[in-house]
Amino acid sequence: MEEAVREACALLAAGEVVALPTETVYGLAADALNADACAKVFASKERPSFDPLIVHIASRGDLARVARVPEDIQEVVGKLADAFWPGPLTLILPKQDVVPDLVTSGLPTVAVRQSAHPVFRAVNKKLGNPIAAPSANRFGRISPTSASAVMKELGGRIPLIVDGGACSEGLESTIISIEPREGKKPLFYLHRAGPVTKEMLQDFGKVEKVRQKAGDLPHAPGQLPSHYAPVTPLRILENPRDFKPEPGRKYGLLSYRGEPDDAFVRCHAWEQVEALSPGSGKLAEAAIRLFYAMRVLDEAGLDEIIAEPLSEKGLGLAIMDRLRRAASRD
Ligand code: TXA
Ligand code: MG
């Protein structure tokens, strides 16, 4: 690990990009204060310049270097950081001038979080600068939750991938912005559902979903209708009784539990079935395995992937969000 951290830091300090594990998904890292390095992140991912990057800080003390915390939300930001940092919660805050406009796509705000992954934290600390890191996939594609998935997405395009094993959360961080309210708990706008659930945030404020109007500049292109998408078309099947297979086409099932007596498993002679949480059905396990299972089915030579919907409670909200975007063709 020491050697990997040293090598990653040397490359980052030289203005290069490096793929690093985080607890959510693998990130494509660059020195967040070096605009040329961050430009390489956009180029390697083929990411459009209107899609801003998340900035990762090594310690709470570094927050003030990249973001300004308005006085009327200082208390709640402190509470959220105590509760969820280091971890999968990203806060959108007014940016400091040192953060290049390229990183925030010209927005006056910056998205900030502190990663909990030991490798990422070690690199972040040793580098001494905040790290900009979007998910290490090509734009619009499935986020990588293992080093081999990064290799498939970006192999040959970047100088180093650090293998830190499988990600322990499996879904990208929850993203919120905060609006203070006189005499009441603040309002949290949920820009992206993630491992820190709505239910977990409700202890600290009122959670509201961000609604985007057609033609709006995306607040979070993770919110573009089509994102996290396999190459194979994916469809969510609400009711297994409605499934009408076309002759000659190969279908695979993305199942929650994958049990033989399950109505979704039984409704068709599937070419392949991938279970998100085999047997008992646990949402945390389904979150960890979602992108992996989507990749496996995407590589299985199918004509279509059929996904079973999950209840939108707790982590189910983030899982269904990713499935809907994977299913969208817009
Ligand atoms: O878990 C994660 O957040 C992972 C790991 C690597 O940390 N990163 C990640 O980054 O998912 P990315 O780039 O795939 O998604 C970041 C999202 C984008 O949809 C982007 O639009 C949004 O964060 N974002 C970044 N800055 C923003 C800002 N100032 N305002 C609104 N949204 C912002
Ligand atoms: Mg992404």
Side-chain angles (χ1 to χ4, degrees):
M1 170 164 158
E2 235 168 72
E3 203 184 314
V5 168
R6 206 176 326 113
E7 210 176 311
C9 279
L11 285 163
L12 292 172
E16 273 304 329
V17 297
V18 171
L20 295 175
T22 86
E23 73 279 33
T24 57
V25 300
Y26 273 71
L28 183 60
D31 178 342
L33 306 185
N34 179 339
D36 291 338
C38 293
K40 290 184 190 166
V41 170
F42 285 90
S44 325
K45 283 192 53 139
E46 296 167 32
R47 183 178 177 111
S49 61
F50 64 74
D51 191 0
L53 309 179
I54 291 180
V55 172
H56 301 70
I57 50 173
S59 67
R60 283 269 291 274
D62 272 356
L63 179 59
R65 287 177 70 191
V66 294
R68 203 172 47 73
V69 184
E71 214 185 304
D72 49 6
I73 60 167
Q74 263 170 20
E75 190 184 332
V76 69
V77 166
K79 283 185 186 165
L80 290 170
D82 285 343
F84 303 114
W85 280 359
L89 178 68
T90 296
L91 303 178
I92 298 175
L93 294 165
K95 89 184 227 349
Q96 297 285 17
D97 291 341
V98 288
V99 180
D101 287 329
L102 178 77
V103 170
T104 64
S105 300
L107 292 172
T109 53
V110 61
V112 189
R113 82 173 187 102
Q114 190 187 0
S115 169
H117 197 288
V119 173
F120 198 100
R121 292 186 73 177
V123 174
N124 217 345
K125 191 162 167 236
K126 192 173 164 71
L127 183 69
N129 266 359
I131 291 177
S135 51
N137 50 277
R138 275 171 289 150
F139 185 70
R141 299 286 315 277
I142 305 171
S143 298
T145 51
S146 67
S148 65
V150 179
M151 194 63 153
K152 284 182 190 142
E153 289 289 323
L154 300 174
R157 296 178 177 216
I158 57 174
L160 179 69
I161 299 169
V162 177
D163 189 345
C167 300
S168 60
E169 300 284 352
L171 292 179
E172 304 85 351
S173 62
T174 306
I175 304 181
I176 61 167
S177 57
I178 305 168
E179 195 177 282
R181 293 189 299 174
E182 197 77 38
K184 285 194 207 160
K185 278 188 180 173
L187 210 56
F188 299 148
Y189 290 105
L190 187 62
H191 295 252
R192 180 171 72 186
V196 173
T197 63
K198 191 174 164 183
E199 290 82 351
M200 288 156 81
L201 289 168
Q202 271 161 351
D203 291 340
F204 304 90
K206 186 172 185 290
V207 182
E208 238 169 65
K209 205 163 168 359
V210 179
R211 287 197 201 290
Q212 253 182 307
K213 295 190 291 290
D216 270 4
L217 253 187
H219 274 292
Q223 296 206 2
L224 289 173
S226 174
H227 216 76
Y228 314 109
V231 176
T232 314
L234 180 149
R235 170 161 50 116
I236 300 170
L237 180 66
E238 294 299 333
N239 188 336
R241 273 172 302 191
D242 297 340
F243 186 57
K244 306 267 184 299
E246 281 173 40
R249 275 170 73 84
K250 290 187 191 155
Y251 298 95
L253 177 69
L254 187 58
S255 161
Y256 183 31
R257 299 182 311 119
E259 295 292 279
D261 63 344
D262 195 278
F264 282 89
V265 176
R266 286 175 44 180
C267 79
H268 180 66
W270 305 101
E271 204 71 32
Q272 188 163 342
V273 176
E274 282 300 317
L276 290 179
S277 180
S280 55
K282 292 192 179 66
L283 285 173
E285 184 178 33
I288 291 173
R289 286 175 49 83
L290 176 69
F291 290 142
Y292 165 77
M294 268 165 56
R295 261 176 208 283
V296 169
L297 288 173
D298 201 18
E299 289 163 8
L302 302 165
D303 293 303
E304 196 171 9
I305 300 167
I306 303 296
E308 173 184 345
L310 271 63
S311 141
E312 299 197 48
K313 297 249 162 57
L315 267 175
L317 182 67
I319 296 173
M320 281 307 290
D321 168 75
R322 303 308 187 274
L323 277 179
R324 287 212 180 87
R325 291 180 209 286
S328 174
R329 294 284 126 190
D330 301 339

